[in-house]
Amino acid sequence: KNEVEQSPQNLTAQEGEFITINCSYSVGISALHWLQQHPGGGIVSLFMLSSGKKKHGRLIATINIQEKHSSLHITASHPRDSAVYICAVPSSYNTDKLIFGTGTRLQVFP
Amino acid sequence: DTGVSQDPRHKITKRGQNVTFRCDPISEHNRLYWYRQTLGQGPEFLTYFQNEAQLEKSRLLSDRFSAERPKGSFSTLEIQRTEQGDSAMYLCASSLSRLNTDTQYFGPGTRLTVL
């Protein structure tokens, strides 16, 4: 069974700060997903990555397959970045299924 | 707006009643997933379809839960004899399954409150 752990659970920041959210998983995977969930429930897929680094605007996701660890970075954070950030990995016995972390709640204050 | 819609967005019901939720995926997507999310937790897999075939059901899905995708397009999730523990956000996602590019697109969710 693949377990997914995220840290921190909660994070507050001042506008402009550099943010890092971490995700660790227990078994080998083909790809890891980072998702964003705003109040009200809607989930948006941010990244799917299997190696190295991906960048989209102010968001950067990295993954270290050997260490089974991924990080999501937000540069120049803004109050509109306030959301829950969730990482997810395929289940070890059925890669069609995703196993989700509990999420990191980020609040960015002006 | 991801292109995945769910209806209703909110449902309040009394314990023991039946409820049905609908999900309309992105039209060309062949895969459709149902998840349940309780407060402070990440989503948990319930079941998924490839076209009209239901491929797997989680053991979280008791006999009171049933899901269908009759024509391989929209899907319904029915909960019979609701219990207070069924209160949660029910999320639907769809994807176009291709090797290494199975990004899931989530709907806005249906929030169920069982009184």
Side-chain angles (χ1 to χ4, degrees):
Chain A
K1 181 181 175 184
N2 204 357
E3 301 288 347
V4 181
E5 292 191 359
Q6 287 187 238
S7 64
Q9 283 190 304
N10 295 283
L11 186 55
T12 57
Q14 288 294 123
E15 184 173 357
E17 285 186 11
F18 181 82
I19 305 291
T20 296
I21 300 170
N22 297 298
C23 176
S24 297
Y25 51 93
S26 58
V27 300
I29 59 170
S30 55
L32 179 143
H33 302 253
W34 280 103
L35 307 140
Q36 180 192 57
Q37 186 171 31
H38 278 285
I43 292 179
V44 174
S45 181
L46 298 175
F47 295 103
M48 182 174 66
L49 67 165
S50 54
S51 65
K53 180 167 77 173
K54 284 191 175 180
K55 185 175 188 294
H56 185 253
R58 295 179 296 105
L59 301 178
I60 303 167
T62 63
I63 189 168
N64 185 319
I65 296 293
Q66 287 74 28
E67 295 186 3
K68 299 185 175 60
H69 180 269
S70 176
S71 294
L72 177 68
H73 306 285
I74 305 175
T75 62
S77 59
H78 190 276
R80 64 175 174 267
D81 298 326
S82 298
V84 176
Y85 292 85
I86 304 171
C87 74
V89 300
S91 166
S92 54
Y93 71 92
N94 180 352
T95 57
D96 292 341
K97 293 171 44 177
L98 291 179
I99 307 298
F100 295 80
T102 55
T104 294
R105 182 175 299 276
L106 171 66
Q107 288 186 296
V108 182
F109 294 98
Chain B
D1 184 0
T2 63
V4 179
S5 62
Q6 291 187 245
D7 185 69
R9 295 290 305 275
H10 303 273
K11 178 71 177 178
I12 299 174
T13 191
K14 292 183 179 178
R15 191 174 52 188
Q17 298 294 304
N18 299 342
V19 295
T20 299
F21 310 141
R22 177 179 171 125
C23 171
D24 285 89
I26 294 172
S27 59
E28 64 267 26
H29 284 185
N30 56 350
R31 286 209 174 147
L32 187 148
Y33 300 79
W34 284 101
Y35 297 94
R36 179 171 66 187
Q37 185 178 27
T38 53
L39 201 61
Q41 300 297 315
E44 293 175 297
F45 170 83
L46 292 179
T47 188
Y48 80 117
F49 296 83
Q50 173 128 341
N51 301 313
E52 64 274 9
Q54 188 172 19
L55 297 186
E56 185 173 339
K57 288 174 60 173
S58 166
R59 60 181 178 276
L60 294 175
L61 222 60
S62 75
D63 291 344
R64 297 185 296 107
F65 288 72
S66 61
E68 295 183 339
R69 194 183 183 198
K71 297 182 181 178
S73 57
F74 73 92
S75 175
T76 58
L77 177 69
E78 182 183 14
I79 309 174
Q80 296 182 325
R81 306 181 302 282
T82 52
E83 301 173 356
Q84 288 184 322
D86 298 330
S87 295
M89 175 77 85
Y90 290 84
L91 294 160
C92 170
S94 71
S95 70
L96 180 63
S97 61
R98 289 189 298 246
L99 187 63
N100 294 329
T101 58
D102 193 10
T103 297
Q104 295 186 24
Y105 294 82
F106 284 81
T110 294
R111 186 171 296 282
L112 173 67
T113 302
V114 181
L115 301 176

